[in-house]
Amino acid sequence: MHPLLAYTRLHRAPITYDVSFSPSARTVLDRATHSAIPAHTLAQPATDPPTPSSSKLILRSDKFPWPVIVAGSGPRFTIGPPKSGRGASANAITILDVLHAVHTTLWTPITPEEWEALGSAQKKVAKRFEARCERMNMDRRSGVRRIDWRGEKTRLVGVEVDKSGGGSGVGKLVFSKA
């Protein structure tokens, strides 16, 4: 993983991003300084070596049942010769691709089947839904979304490389309280 996202038990990643909001200069921050992560940094490859944008990166969490499938945003066309150091990474999955994929996955409305699968946890998720609508001044008709599984832990603080994935582009999302 890129050092900005890399998380281990011994080393916390320097990023902090509240997935309640779309990735932006106000939501993707440096954990220590609380300043915005520059756009050119977010445009860097999310993995080392870079994962081609034609491939997929799969991220999981113990706290919700859906994988986050990260696909690259496709070729980035520029006029003129490629800037130094960007040749191979210009068509790679970027940090911003990862953040958008996490946000999009968690803001997906849950299906009736997913709701039924909750069983006794429906009350807890319904309370989280109500709290989110109140906190964000949202219309309740928008429905329960996957982010309501997260409760207060909506701050992405890194990605842990899944050693059991055998280097096959699998990572574990790490969250903390917002």
Side-chain angles (χ1 to χ4, degrees):
M1 293 306 301
H2 185 283
L4 185 67
L5 295 172
Y7 182 98
T8 68
R9 296 195 195 299
L10 300 174
H11 172 76
R12 290 187 59 189
I15 193 173
T16 181
Y17 162 56
D18 187 346
V19 298
S20 299
F21 306 98
S22 186
S24 74
R26 289 189 291 163
T27 61
V28 181
L29 305 174
D30 180 292
R31 179 176 49 86
T33 65
H34 301 286
S35 59
I37 303 289
H40 69 275
T41 301
L42 297 177
Q44 293 177 2
T47 59
D48 185 25
T51 302
S53 59
S54 59
S55 297
K56 291 187 176 15
L57 190 62
I58 301 168
L59 305 174
R60 300 190 183 279
S61 173
D62 298 338
K63 305 300 182 192
F64 53 82
W66 317 276
V68 174
I69 310 294
V70 185
S73 52
R76 290 158 185 91
F77 297 100
T78 59
I79 296 174
K83 293 182 178 158
S84 63
R86 288 211 52 205
S89 65
N91 293 323
I93 291 176
T94 67
I95 296 167
L96 194 57
D97 292 333
V98 169
L99 301 179
H100 275 293
V102 172
H103 176 76
T104 301
T105 299
L106 291 178
W107 276 91
T108 299
I110 66 165
T111 64
E113 295 80 20
E114 291 169 339
W115 181 254
E116 288 302 317
L118 277 172
S120 62
Q122 284 178 349
K123 286 183 183 178
K124 184 187 270 187
V125 172
K127 278 185 176 180
R128 291 174 178 167
F129 162 69
E130 292 291 332
R132 175 179 58 82
C133 288
E134 177 108 4
R135 183 179 72 251
M136 298 179 80
N137 197 22
M138 295 184 75
D139 187 345
R140 283 161 178 69
R141 289 178 286 182
S142 65
V144 177
R145 298 188 180 259
R146 291 176 171 177
I147 193 162
D148 297 319
W149 249 264
R150 299 292 319 138
E152 294 178 345
K153 290 189 174 185
T154 59
R155 189 162 300 282
L156 178 66
V157 294
V159 179
E160 199 170 16
V161 174
D162 184 357
K163 303 285 193 249
S164 66
S168 62
V170 177
K172 179 181 170 191
L173 297 165
V174 182
F175 292 91
S176 72
K177 284 188 179 182

